Amino acid sequence: MTSVQKYGLMGFGLVVSLGAPFLAPQFATQLTMLWLMVVFALTWDVLGGQMGYNSFGNILFFGIGAYACAIIQRDLGFDYFVGLAVGLGIAGVFSALVAVVLGVGMLGLRGHYFAIGTLGLGIAAGEIAGGWDYVGAGSGMVPPLYPTGLEGREFFFYFAMFALAVITFAALRALYQTRFGLALNAIRDDEDKAEAMGLHTTQIKSVAWAVAAVFLGVAGGLTGNLLGFIDPRDIAFAGATFGVWMVLMAVLGGKGTLWGPVIGAVVFHVTQELFWTYLLGWQRVALGLLIIAIVVFFPNGILGTLRERFPEWFGERMEERS
Amino acid sequence: MSVLLEVQGVTKTFGGVVANQSVSIEVRAGEIAGLIGPNGSGKTTLFNSIVGAHAIDEGSIKFEGEEISTFRVPVIARKGMLRTFQQTRIYGEMTALENMRISAPEARVSALSLLGGFSSKTDTRGEELLEFVGLASKRFLRAGALSFGQQKLLEFAMALMSEPKLLLLDEPTAGINPTLINGLIDRLKQANKELGVTLLVIEHNMRVIMNLAERITCLAHGEVLASGTPDEVRNDPRVVDAYLGAG
């Protein structure tokens, strides 16, 4: 693909994304959720794809963000938009801090042990939030109402989530182009070698997790406000849905690639919505079959499979050059 | 010549197995030192002890006069002592040039220092060293797609890229095509002379080590059997016994 084609395609995508809620206002909330899925897949891929650490606990940062933002909005008495902005900022920062603290212990685990260890995180957090009165315990939290009622609300959250997805994408793209991106790949390919070469692997892993956590935290704050209700187990720390989907979307699109998670998120979300619409009652079965099909037929994901077939599209070189 | 690495009375046991028994060796700045011994004589264990891959039971290991026996691998690597692996280790999914880039000394300053981009100086140096080991034409290929021998050369180039003071090589010629071995010996000597890298080399190939090293230490059953110049070691009857199993 030439760069003209590439930017043309990106420009087209941008126009469609900006126009979508006006063209199909009845789907505005679903489209907002689509961008949330993109953020999920992109942030999961930082560790899961680029660094080779399969985390099943990233939902933790999303939930922490949702609660942190709602608490700020509830307790600090700001005007709605000021409260939301401050809340989102604190949600991101606080999630990142939790990632750094947890990282010290968790990121010493490798391979399957890390995956299993993180699996417990989301579940534990859901149980804690569900029993803690300060955050509404089992009956959840209701963030403040959008000031103008329903008017303009969907558009506001659509564009806020879209902006978050674009910023996440741009930030990760920039990050992967630095030496840091190579260090992540080095840890993925051979962590012992990276250590033997003197890389600060523990620091690198913690920073990477914190980067994912920032965007997940902000996404959590936005989602709480979008949905208007934060349930501890079904929304904030929804490991069985959001938590699994973020892994699936990244794997479906092609983990360890920049665009793979984006493509995976779009394909997954659209397919899932179609299942819910046309296969109601069987939607979970269909989703399960889709997951099996992904793993069996596209273990490297959509982009990974394309990359195997057409490596030259991805700038990979097969021939020697002098 | 000053002593760069001083290993004194190092003992390392795994359960009941004594892998190293009071081993002492020293490596002087600027030399090429050799470490030989039959299979299972404790050479790689000694390497692992020196670079901090595991704790030692007894003894002291000093690098540039500083006690390092309690430090871990990355800390020791940042002090300028690197090792290559017997089972070659490179970053397989990255290109040869990317392998070089991430091995540059600035990559190990701190995690945040990695947030910068690549300097053209790093790339130039990486390409020079790939040229030096004969892999320049393969710089954009995926490292995992290179042959075993080429990966070994890449690993050597990566080690040089990070500008170590002392480089520990674990069987650099194992698995390399015999016609390429001479070229590799020349490059090791060149790296030592021109880049000023002190080398400590484990080697099974007697012809290679006798050609390469200025001083050789021979281990057997975890203990130092003999040390001296290549000729002294080669003619030491105990070394001959250890290798041929006589006596």
Side-chain angles (χ1 to χ4, degrees):
Chain A
M1 229 188 284
T2 67
S3 60
V4 175
Q5 285 170 319
K6 211 162 154 184
Y7 285 107
L9 207 60
M10 280 169 75
F12 177 70
L14 187 69
V15 171
V16 170
S17 306
L18 289 174
F22 300 104
L23 294 174
Q26 70 275 32
F27 294 126
T29 302
Q30 282 318 315
L31 291 168
T32 311
M33 292 304 276
L34 172 64
W35 295 117
L36 173 65
M37 295 300 143
V38 170
V39 174
F40 276 162
L42 278 170
T43 50
W44 186 83
D45 199 56
V46 178
L47 257 67
Q50 300 287 342
M51 204 174 90
Y53 269 67
N54 294 312
S55 164
F56 289 100
N58 277 13
I59 191 70
L60 177 74
F61 308 119
F62 175 78
I64 287 176
Y67 276 111
C69 182
I71 290 169
I72 298 290
Q73 289 176 289
R74 180 188 70 185
D75 294 352
L76 292 189
F78 287 125
D79 176 59
Y80 182 80
F81 290 105
V82 179
L84 182 63
V86 174
L88 290 178
I90 290 186
V93 172
F94 188 64
S95 292
L97 285 178
V98 173
V100 170
V101 173
L102 278 178
V104 173
M106 302 288 302
L107 288 164
L109 301 172
R110 295 211 185 159
H112 305 306
Y113 299 102
F114 178 76
I116 293 166
T118 53
L119 193 57
L121 287 178
I123 299 171
E127 291 304 315
I128 293 171
W132 190 13
D133 287 330
Y134 180 65
V135 294
S139 44
M141 269 183 92
V142 178
L145 290 179
Y146 191 76
T148 59
L150 290 180
E151 200 185 329
R153 184 176 182 278
E154 287 185 327
F155 290 127
F156 172 77
F157 283 112
Y158 176 85
F159 287 107
M161 199 65 90
F162 176 61
L164 177 64
V166 171
I167 291 169
T168 306
F169 180 85
L172 293 182
R173 182 170 186 267
L175 186 72
Y176 296 156
Q177 282 171 348
T178 63
R179 287 198 295 261
F180 194 85
L182 273 190
L184 293 181
N185 295 160
I187 290 172
R188 174 195 66 198
D189 286 358
D190 191 336
E191 186 168 352
D192 288 327
K193 174 70 177 176
E195 267 196 350
M197 294 300 286
L199 293 181
H200 290 264
T201 50
T202 314
Q203 278 182 26
I204 292 168
K205 290 187 286 184
S206 297
V207 171
W209 216 13
V211 168
V214 169
F215 297 113
L216 278 172
V218 176
L222 267 182
T223 308
N225 278 272
L226 165 74
L227 300 177
F229 174 63
I230 302 170
D231 182 273
R233 295 184 192 87
D234 290 340
I235 293 173
F237 301 108
T241 51
F242 294 159
V244 173
W245 295 349
M246 56 175 86
V247 184
L248 281 174
M249 293 184 292
V251 171
L252 169 64
K255 61 180 192 168
T257 61
L258 182 64
W259 280 99
V262 179
I263 294 169
V266 173
V267 172
F268 180 86
H269 189 63
V270 171
T271 317
Q272 206 211 107
E273 288 303 320
L274 291 177
F275 285 168
W276 252 247
T277 311
Y278 296 107
L279 297 174
L280 195 64
W282 290 87
Q283 77 272 27
R284 290 198 183 271
V285 177
L287 193 62
L289 288 175
L290 175 70
I291 292 168
I292 295 170
I294 292 168
V295 176
V296 173
F297 296 109
F298 299 100
N300 295 320
I302 296 169
L303 272 192
T305 307
L306 286 175
R307 191 182 190 133
E308 269 170 19
R309 296 257 168 90
F310 311 102
E312 64 279 3
W313 289 4
F314 297 86
E316 208 171 291
R317 308 198 198 178
M318 307 304 283
E319 306 291 318
E320 295 182 11
R321 300 276 161 92
S322 49
Chain B
M1 275 193 287
S2 66
V3 175
L4 189 60
L5 175 72
E6 190 182 10
V7 176
Q8 279 272 322
V10 166
T11 297
K12 174 70 191 172
T13 58
F14 295 103
V17 181
V18 183
N20 287 147
Q21 173 70 51
S22 193
V23 172
S24 302
I25 63 168
E26 58 174 49
V27 178
R28 297 169 195 158
E31 75 173 343
I32 301 182
L35 187 60
I36 62 171
N39 287 324
S41 60
K43 305 181 295 292
T44 298
T45 300
L46 184 62
F47 259 33
N48 285 333
S49 300
I50 292 171
V51 299
H54 53 223
I56 56 172
D57 299 337
E58 270 172 49
S60 109
I61 301 170
K62 284 188 178 141
F63 181 62
E64 295 187 303
E66 183 186 8
E67 182 67 40
I68 58 164
S69 57
T70 56
F71 294 168
R72 294 209 52 243
V73 172
V75 180
I76 292 175
R78 289 193 281 273
K79 290 188 180 293
M81 177 155 69
L82 282 193
R83 63 94 56 92
T84 65
F85 293 86
Q86 201 170 349
Q87 308 297 332
T88 300
R89 302 185 106 150
I90 41 102
Y91 307 124
E93 296 297 317
M94 294 155 59
T95 67
L97 186 58
E98 284 172 338
N99 271 269
M100 299 301 285
R101 283 170 162 176
I102 197 60
S103 302
E106 60 260 37
R108 51 174 201 247
V109 178
S110 75
L112 294 178
S113 75
L114 291 166
L115 296 177
F118 301 101
S119 68
S120 56
K121 223 179 87 200
T122 306
D123 281 5
T124 314
R125 183 70 186 141
E127 286 180 9
E128 277 170 17
L129 284 170
L130 284 174
E131 179 86 55
F132 174 67
V133 297
L135 291 177
S137 65
K138 314 209 184 282
R139 62 187 181 277
F140 296 123
L141 299 192
R142 211 167 54 80
L146 300 175
S147 74
F148 179 77
Q150 290 166 342
Q151 291 187 8
K152 216 138 193 174
L153 291 168
L154 175 61
E155 191 183 25
F156 176 52
M158 287 160 73
L160 293 179
M161 184 76 186
S162 78
E163 298 171 11
K165 293 170 191 150
L166 173 60
L167 182 56
L168 285 70
L169 299 163
D170 200 344
E171 298 199 31
T173 66
I176 291 198
N177 173 346
T179 55
L180 287 177
I181 289 183
N182 285 337
L184 183 64
I185 297 177
D186 289 341
R187 286 184 185 120
L188 290 174
K189 285 185 170 169
Q190 229 178 317
N192 173 255
K193 229 176 245 141
E194 291 167 19
L195 306 174
V197 183
T198 306
L199 301 175
L200 174 58
V201 185
I202 291 182
E203 189 51 71
H204 264 303
N205 185 328
M206 281 300 148
R207 185 179 65 83
V208 171
I209 199 71
M210 294 298 161
N211 258 316
L212 188 64
E214 295 151 39
R215 282 184 324 109
I216 293 175
T217 304
C218 178
L219 289 183
H221 304 297
E223 292 178 59
V224 175
L225 198 61
S227 62
T229 64
D231 277 334
E232 286 167 8
V233 171
R234 182 166 31 198
N235 296 323
D236 191 311
R238 289 170 303 171
V239 174
V240 177
D241 282 356
Y243 268 90
L244 299 178

